[in-house]
Amino acid sequence: MHIDVFTLFPEHFEWFRSQRHVRGALAAGSELRLINYRDTTPLSGGQVDDAPYGGGAGMVMRVDVVDAALTAAYGGERSAMRVVALTPGGRLFDEALASELAVEQRLALLCGRYEGFDERVVEHLCTDAISIGRYVLSGGELAAMVVCDAVLRKLPGALGDETSAIEESFSEALSGAPEYPHYTRPASYRGWQVPEVLLSGDHERVRQWRLARSRERLGEKQG
Ligand code: ADE
């Protein structure tokens, strides 16, 4: 998979790129390219934003600036790929959406800053608008990292143990339910015991127990 992140702050991704699972995915053939809107802005002085029509605080990312960055990166090839605006009002990001994105060959993630994007970016230049939660961050960079993390860890090479992403929380193997609880040594700590079934060595009982706990958690979540 090839992911392009459009941002005014490519350096924010240095830490993210250095993480083991990200390096693993990149070593296995995925790509993560950072593209700075300022490098292709058609405006003088590296300008990328402007005051909102109708007044109000803050600045808005200009549609011509975002269009120029996309055109420089893809020319006319854009129609076949998903171009995602990261914005607080978008479709809520969850495991199903991460799986949906993970099958794409290419993905463009657009980070806004300041008051976000001119709405025409979302309407005319993007295929998707994604929110990582109903709160406003000071930019889309953290949201892009969240999306990249959840998507990349589904790809070969990201996780040491290839099976661990499959049975994970919210995955299809658990019918979309949250993951079951995990325990490790010691089996007893300050009187807090690991459930006996996990020490039994009976794989079928362990499987049934995990499924039941996972469904229980789904019930709790849905109230
Ligand atoms: N940009 C600012 N806030 C955001 C959020 N909650 N999700 C995605 N992108 C954002």
Side-chain angles (χ1 to χ4, degrees):
M1 166 174 250
H2 180 133
I3 305 179
D4 289 330
V5 179
F6 292 77
T7 171
L8 291 170
F9 301 97
E11 68 279 7
H12 288 194
F13 291 80
E14 274 165 29
W15 166 84
F16 178 71
R17 286 187 70 111
S18 72
Q19 298 310 293
R20 196 170 69 93
H21 63 285
V22 179
R23 278 191 284 119
L26 300 183
S30 295
E31 282 179 64
L32 177 60
R33 184 165 60 147
L34 295 159
I35 296 172
N36 193 333
Y37 297 111
R38 271 193 225 285
D39 293 342
T40 50
T41 177
L43 308 174
S44 58
Q47 186 188 346
V48 292
D49 56 358
D50 231 316
Y53 280 124
M59 300 291 270
V60 177
M61 284 285 293
R62 286 177 53 133
V63 63
D64 49 354
V65 168
V66 176
D67 197 22
L70 288 169
T71 302
Y74 309 121
E77 285 174 58
R78 236 182 286 165
S79 58
M81 64 185 291
R82 281 175 91 155
V83 178
V84 176
L86 293 155
T87 172
R91 173 177 167 192
L92 272 180
F93 189 63
D94 61 10
E95 197 65 22
L97 182 47
S99 299
E100 205 182 299
L101 297 178
V103 300
E104 299 289 331
Q105 295 277 300
R106 295 189 74 118
L107 203 56
L109 301 177
L110 311 190
C111 304
R113 269 273 146 178
Y114 318 117
E115 290 305 300
F117 300 104
D118 183 304
E119 191 57 25
R120 291 168 292 182
V121 169
V122 180
E123 250 176 60
H124 300 288
L125 301 179
C126 294
T127 58
D128 300 76
I130 293 180
S131 168
I132 62 159
R134 294 289 183 244
Y135 39 80
V136 182
L137 300 166
S138 45
E141 283 73 17
L142 285 171
M145 284 183 233
V146 167
V147 171
C148 283
D149 191 293
V151 169
L152 285 175
R153 69 201 304 285
K154 292 183 178 293
L155 303 180
L159 302 178
D161 177 358
E162 291 298 332
T163 56
S164 53
I166 297 170
E167 236 195 52
E168 212 168 23
S169 292
F170 312 113
S171 77
E172 280 167 33
L174 294 172
S175 314
E179 201 172 23
Y180 45 79
H182 296 287
Y183 296 88
T184 187
R185 278 185 278 267
S188 175
Y189 181 70
R190 292 173 60 181
W192 305 326
Q193 301 288 341
V194 168
E196 175 278 325
V197 56
L198 297 179
L199 311 174
S200 69
D202 182 338
H203 297 304
E204 183 49 28
R205 268 185 73 213
V206 169
R207 199 183 67 78
Q208 292 293 343
W209 181 87
R210 286 179 167 167
L211 209 57
R213 296 295 79 71
S214 162
R215 292 202 174 125
E216 238 168 51
R217 286 186 166 180
L218 180 66
E220 282 164 23
K221 242 187 91 218
Q222 291 175 340

